[in-house]
Amino acid sequence: MSFKLINAFGALVVANALTAPRAPRQLAKPARAAPAALLPAALPSTKALIAASAVPTALGFWRTGYAVSYGYGGAVAASAALYLRAGASGVAALHARALVFYGVRLSLYLLYREVVVDMGQIKPKDATLGERAKRLPILASCGFLYYCLAAPLRATASVAPTSGPAGALVAAAWAGFGLGAV
């Protein structure tokens, strides 16, 4: 029942994003400054994106597998949320919403699977502080990878809010995330 609820929520988010009204594209004259609607969105700071990638990945200190499951979902959602908070609009906002949806849906699914599905073959091991510290290189590498995964969002936030090719790629991302939720 809960899994169907997660999929219904995902379908609702996808339907809402696909029916969002689009602003008409206006071309500015070269002699004047571009209207505010055509300026690229503000970008979050590099420090904020590093933190958004590193903090969820640090769950790997608790359980190793969490770095590549909840850490991945959390880092993707947190990085995209930073772009929304920075005022992303148009294609960048749709792209950021798609990644927030993906990260949250992935994390909810993993939580559902961990709580509801009997995963008896996977047993947590006790680890000493030294054994946990040995995980730092792989966790740092995962955090860096998740930081780099925010690069496409930085690209869509740097173009005009109504860019056609970027919009087509974001629509393809929504279609893929929606298909994955089914």
Side-chain angles (χ1 to χ4, degrees), residues 1-11 112 181:
M1 179 68 176
S2 298
F3 188 67
K4 288 184 180 183
L5 197 62
I6 292 171
N7 280 335
F9 172 73
Y112 167 79

Side-chain angles (χ1 to χ4, degrees), residues 52-164:
S53 301
V55 171
T57 307
L59 287 171
F61 284 117
W62 184 22
R63 281 196 184 166
T64 307
Y66 284 2
V68 294
S69 57
Y70 295 110
Y72 171 61
V76 168
S79 296
L82 286 174
Y83 281 91
L84 288 174
R85 200 172 121 210
S89 61
V91 173
L94 286 175
H95 190 187
R97 285 187 188 109
L99 293 176
V100 168
F101 165 73
Y102 173 72
V104 169
R105 188 197 69 80
L106 175 64
S107 295
L108 287 174
Y109 170 74
L110 292 168
L111 180 64
Y112 167 79
R113 189 180 72 177
E114 185 172 345
V115 171
V116 175
V117 179
D118 181 28
M119 304 282 285
Q121 70 273 17
I122 301 175
K123 295 180 179 146
K125 295 189 282 185
D126 290 331
T128 65
L129 185 59
E131 290 170 335
R132 292 176 195 272
K134 288 180 183 177
R135 299 176 189 170
L136 184 59
I138 190 70
L139 296 180
S141 298
C142 287
F144 179 69
L145 172 66
Y146 303 154
Y147 169 78
C148 291
L149 289 174
L153 187 51
R154 195 167 199 83
T156 56
S158 298
V159 299
T162 56
S163 178

